[in-house]
Amino acid sequence: MNRRPADPLSAVLAQPRLLAGLDLAGWDVVVRRARETALLGAVAHLARESVGWDAVPERPRRHLSGARRVARGNALALAWELECLEEPLSRLDAAPVLLKGAAYVAAGLPNAAGRIANDVDLLFPRDRLPRVESLLGWKGWVSSHLDAYDQRYYRRWMHELPPMRHARRGSTLDIHHNIVPETFAVHPDPARLLEQAVPVPGWPAYRVLCPAHMVLHAAAHLFSETEWDLALRDLYDIHCLAGCFAARDGEQFWLHLLEEAEALDLGRLLFYALRHAARRFATPVPDEAAARLRLAGPGPLRLAVLDAAFDGGFRPRAASSTGGRDAVARGVLFLRGHWLKMPPWLLARHLFHKAILARAKDRDGE
Amino acid sequence: MTVGELDAGRLRGALAGEGLDLETGPFVTRIRSTLDSVRRGLQTLYADFPAAEGSGFADFHVRVAASGGVRRWFRPQARFFVDGRSIFKPLARHQAFPMLEWGLNWCVAGYAHHYVMFHAAVVAKRGRAALLAAPPGAGKSTLCAALVSRGWRLLSDETALLDPETGLVHGMARPVSLKNESIDAVRAFAPDAFISPPCRDTVKGAVAHMRPPADSVARMREPARPAWLIFPRFEPGAATRLSFRDKGSAFMRLVTQSFNYAALGRTAFERTADLLERSRTYDFVYSRLDDAVETLGRIEPPAR
């Protein structure tokens, strides 16, 4: 049942030593698919670490070296942004929690190598948000969505404020108070995430989610998505994080992960995440953990349908022979994502606004 | 094998099948298209470029296709795909070839991060390169077309590729894109050059392409050492004026013309600074092409 869908990119991410055996036609597919899914930097990192730069033919190697430079530039820019944010945020009573890309870079996790983060994501207790906004406002950060409807959309229904943008540097900042939208089908308790957050060596002004929560956040983020363009990258994050924490903390990590998944009501999303990470990247999930997670999963019919949809969503478009089928899968995932994100009446209201009212307003503005 | 040496049938077959691997300087692009205008454009403008039937590794994979459905017949459209993803809005079908050219520029600007890239034309003489950096509409391509029809070697009319390892500039020697009045200006200045029939009503107005000199194509894999950084500006009726620009402001100006300066971070800063240090930097105002070419023909390279 756990057959791995044939995709040379997933194969080399799972087993980087296979990079040594790629011929030029193989590199052609890997580079294109990695470029499409923002994994070229990861492939470059793995190639250098596992098989050595010289094992890569010159033409593909140029693209890998470009991706490495871009990723290094991105990591430096991210670190600089975090340094700039230290001062205003140090006025809060508790260190903010870094999420996603910024957390991976700051904590030096294995998936950070070669990864690109386009913004900084931070988690705060909800009641601190007004203070956070005002502290950041003094430092040149402004809210990017000024339309009243968009503001209300974010503030009432989402798990984050409208993205903030730095007036001079142009960087963007996502201020979260939870890891899934307010209107989402399940409601994890953010207090639990904040309580168990852990310090980051080298970055005293920040914290990151504890290992179990970090994996759960990645799973919740990915499997509640409406856009699946970078899904393979997000699944690779889960693979790397689970592998790294399991290697470090062993059984403790798995026990805590399962416990927290149940406590936060994220068991089913974690089930999908680990199931597909194992299918694509052969992530080693202990049998006991897999069996316990299976209980949180859906019935067999629903699982078969969703597996097919997720497989389609994870398959890159470049060099694909199943383009039509995958497009249908993405369509299904798009609808599913919206369904989970908002109850139908709210979704209808939101779409009505975006389709009719917002467009009419755009026309008036012209 | 060059594009010109492939007979029409094989060229059509490659474009309709696995693709045509077109080599332009450091890049190989696998092109697929069943549109006749695309094949004709390649046959005439890329005649001297090496090509092969698609196999192995290609840097970019593109396809220019007719839109389906009602747009196949009613106001027919063309679409451009990179790796199966449509990246531009559809255009009127007769613009398929310019669309391919814009698409190739898009691929380079978006994916060739092993270079520091600048929006600049590059021409060379005796192994020393002049970068003509300017925003669209400043007359950079026109000047470039004029220079390469008077003995300068064409590296690029659009993108300068600075190799961060060697400090050398690479080009693709691709056709020079000419717009509106500049089409006739270059025709008059270089009557022997082959210029494609203009494609009208594009977003940029009428667009035509000049076939690159055969010698530039033969030497397209050869990079050149930057010697001059010139900010050209076409100004109707103005006298030709070449003036020094200080390196600090030249640096800042060049950075605004880079596609990936921010993405490459420190590498981009250091390599751009090296380039500035080793180049002479000028502002250049021109209106008459023969004066302009003569003036630039006299500038001396800096010591190596």
Side-chain angles (χ1 to χ4, degrees), chain A residues 93-105:
Chain A
D93 51 358
V97 176
L98 296 171
L99 300 174
K100 298 194 264 192
Y104 307 149
V105 167

Side-chain angles (χ1 to χ4, degrees), chain A residues 111-163:
Chain A
N111 56 328
R115 198 179 185 282
I116 302 291
N118 290 319
D119 39 30
V120 176
D121 295 272
L122 292 159
L123 178 72
F124 299 92
R126 190 167 198 173
D127 59 5
R128 299 295 192 284
L129 294 190
R131 173 113 171 99
V132 170
E133 273 190 287
S134 114
L135 286 171
L136 292 172
W138 286 103
K139 290 287 168 184
W141 293 91
V142 286
S143 188
S144 60
H145 289 65
L146 296 172
D147 170 62
Y149 178 84
D150 286 346
Q151 285 283 341
R152 195 180 55 165
Y153 170 84
Y154 274 99
R155 285 169 199 272
R156 264 185 62 186
W157 297 326
M158 287 297 109
H159 52 306
E160 58 192 329
L161 297 180

Side-chain angles (χ1 to χ4, degrees), chain B:
Chain B
M1 188 75 96
T2 64
V3 176
E5 286 162 4
L6 286 169
D7 65 69
R10 258 185 84 190
L11 183 59
R12 193 180 285 124
L15 286 167
E18 291 302 305
L20 178 80
D21 279 3
L22 178 71
E23 192 180 335
T24 53
F27 306 116
V28 172
T29 308
R30 190 161 302 156
I31 304 171
R32 288 164 61 211
S33 183
T34 52
L35 297 176
D36 267 340
S37 62
V38 169
R39 179 182 54 77
R40 272 199 311 277
L42 287 168
Q43 230 164 2
T44 50
L45 291 162
Y46 284 91
D48 302 322
F49 285 76
E53 277 157 86
S55 72
F57 186 85
D59 296 279
F60 318 120
H61 291 250
V62 306
R63 189 160 65 90
V64 195
S67 287
V70 66
R71 288 299 199 167
R72 193 170 288 279
W73 298 280
F74 174 71
R75 293 192 184 162
Q77 286 182 333
R79 301 181 71 192
F80 186 83
F81 298 88
V82 178
D83 277 331
R85 199 161 55 95
S86 166
I87 56 158
F88 298 137
K89 283 184 182 160
L91 291 180
R93 177 87 54 82
H94 76 280
Q95 300 178 25
F97 185 77
M99 195 177 203
L100 171 66
E101 287 293 316
W102 297 328
L104 294 180
N105 294 340
W106 185 94
C107 287
V108 172
Y111 292 148
H113 293 300
H114 40 300
Y115 297 111
V116 187
M117 293 182 275
F118 300 101
H119 192 214
V122 185
V123 293
K125 208 174 209 177
R126 290 188 286 275
R128 307 303 303 271
L131 272 66
L132 312 171
K140 151 177 66 78
S141 292
T142 319
L143 184 58
C144 169
L147 289 166
V148 302
S149 48
R150 291 288 193 281
W152 290 75
R153 175 161 78 91
L154 171 70
L155 279 91
S156 177
D157 82 318
E158 164 79 22
T159 310
L161 306 164
L162 175 65
D163 185 332
E165 312 281 339
T166 61
L168 301 178
V169 181
H170 293 254
M172 295 165 268
R174 279 173 42 208
V176 179
S177 150
L178 301 169
K179 284 171 285 190
N180 304 318
E181 298 84 17
S182 75
I183 302 172
D184 284 335
V186 173
R187 266 203 194 114
F189 183 75
D192 296 338
F194 174 84
I195 297 177
S196 65
C199 178
R200 308 206 179 271
D201 306 321
T202 77
V203 280
K204 307 181 180 196
V207 172
H209 289 88
M210 183 181 100
R211 178 160 62 205
D215 171 65
S216 300
V217 179
R219 293 170 63 191
M220 70 184 186
R221 295 188 192 90
E222 220 178 277
R225 187 161 295 284
W228 307 281
L229 171 61
I230 300 167
F231 298 102
R233 199 175 79 240
F234 173 80
E235 205 180 283
T240 308
R241 202 163 66 233
L242 183 71
S243 49
F244 276 107
R245 175 187 267 268
D246 71 279
K247 293 200 174 181
S249 75
F251 184 105
M252 296 311 284
R253 179 118 190 239
L254 184 61
V255 164
T256 64
Q257 296 299 319
S258 174
F259 300 134
N260 60 347
Y261 183 85
L264 292 181
R266 182 183 292 174
T267 303
F269 170 75
E270 286 170 356
R271 296 306 148 227
T272 309
D274 289 349
L275 182 137
L276 261 297
E277 243 162 55
R278 292 180 190 152
S279 309
R280 296 200 161 155
T281 47
Y282 299 99
D283 281 327
F284 185 55
V285 177
Y286 77 97
S287 62
R288 285 168 43 88
L289 283 175
D290 32 8
D291 276 359
V293 169
E294 204 203 304
T295 305
L296 293 183
R298 284 198 308 261
I299 56 173
E300 290 291 325
R304 278 177 194 247

